[in-house]
Amino acid sequence: RWMWDTLLDVLGRPGSWELNGALHYGAPLLFVPLLLLGAWYLWRQHREAGLVLLMPAVVALAASWASLYPFAGRFVLFLLPALLLTIAAGIVQAARVTRSRWVGVLLAVLVGVVSARAAVRTPPPQRPEDLRPVLETIARSRHPGDATYVYYGARQAFLYYRTMAGFESGSYVIGRCSRYHADWMIREVEQLRSFGRVWIVASHSTNQAQEISSLITHLRSTGRELDHVLPPDGDDAEAYLFALNPPVGAVGTGSDVFPGTPSWECGGPAGESAAR
């Protein structure tokens, strides 16, 4: 089960259809058999080449199984060329086993269509994420005592520019990885309600737009939006300022807000964590 889930993290689960740090072709029942067939073909016919292609993947898988390395997303980009070559070898072997070149042609067309669809769904170039002008605007507009909440996708850029923008330690909270859990972000920001004025800093959020949308909708319904720092045209970086009413009742603890463990899927360690 672990091996199947790990392969799906790279090749894509059914219906994923987007490139997001891995192939994410969304057709595992096509690509996994071709990958295994290609590995078998390389081992039998071109063993030295097969070892060169496959040993890095075997080592990375072993490290992942031992919880020493995350076998997912951008952390396995270096393996993708070898995986694609192995899949191509699987197409060749399928044609050899069936003794029909048309089987190879059909499989090649299917692979081409699926991969083209993923590329169309995620076309380059990606949007720029220049957070610096956003932080400079906040630095000019911020009041003493304002709190700043940093969306987890913006944490590396924020930590890089924080000194330049005058953010002292303790004046901001870097959001915990909340992928697919917008409610975690909402509950975390609720802990800042006692500050009265809270800035929300976001970038690298286009692919997870529902998370930010849910958070902003919640804050608009429970507070008052004072400012929206818009990014340059086409940029994926922005900030909001909210005036929030004082909290009512007890505020949840960190363990209440964050039931899971930090995820490498959100960019790896950034040097600071909001899980306090």
Side-chain angles (χ1 to χ4, degrees), residues 208-256:
Q208 308 295 333
Q210 184 58 41
E211 293 175 353
I212 288 294
S213 176
S214 297
L215 174 61
I216 298 305
T217 298
H218 169 77
L219 294 178
R220 283 172 176 163
S221 66
T222 60
R224 181 163 54 94
E225 183 176 341
L226 302 178
D227 197 5
H228 182 195
V229 181
L230 293 170
D233 186 35
D235 270 19
D236 183 11
E238 60 184 332
Y240 296 83
L241 173 61
F242 285 93
L244 302 180
N245 298 324
V248 177
V251 178
T253 64
S255 60
D256 295 330

Side-chain angles (χ1 to χ4, degrees), residues 148-225:
T148 301
Y149 175 81
V150 183
Y151 173 70
Y152 67 85
R155 61 185 179 177
Q156 272 88 355
F158 178 86
L159 289 173
Y160 183 81
Y161 290 120
R162 62 175 174 172
T163 303
M164 174 276 300
F167 286 92
E168 298 178 355
S169 180
S171 66
Y172 59 86
V173 170
I174 298 178
R176 158 77 182 279
C177 176
S178 305
R179 185 156 296 178
Y180 311 122
H181 292 281
D183 56 306
W184 294 5
M185 287 196 302
I186 291 171
R187 294 169 65 187
E188 181 176 32
V189 173
E190 284 295 315
Q191 296 186 59
L192 303 177
R193 187 171 285 275
S194 59
F195 286 87
R197 286 167 48 102
V198 178
W199 291 90
I200 308 297
V201 177
S203 72
H204 195 62
S205 59
T206 299
N207 291 336
Q208 308 295 333
Q210 184 58 41
E211 293 175 353
I212 288 294
S213 176
S214 297
L215 174 61
I216 298 305
T217 298
H218 169 77
L219 294 178
R220 283 172 176 163
S221 66
T222 60
R224 181 163 54 94
E225 183 176 341

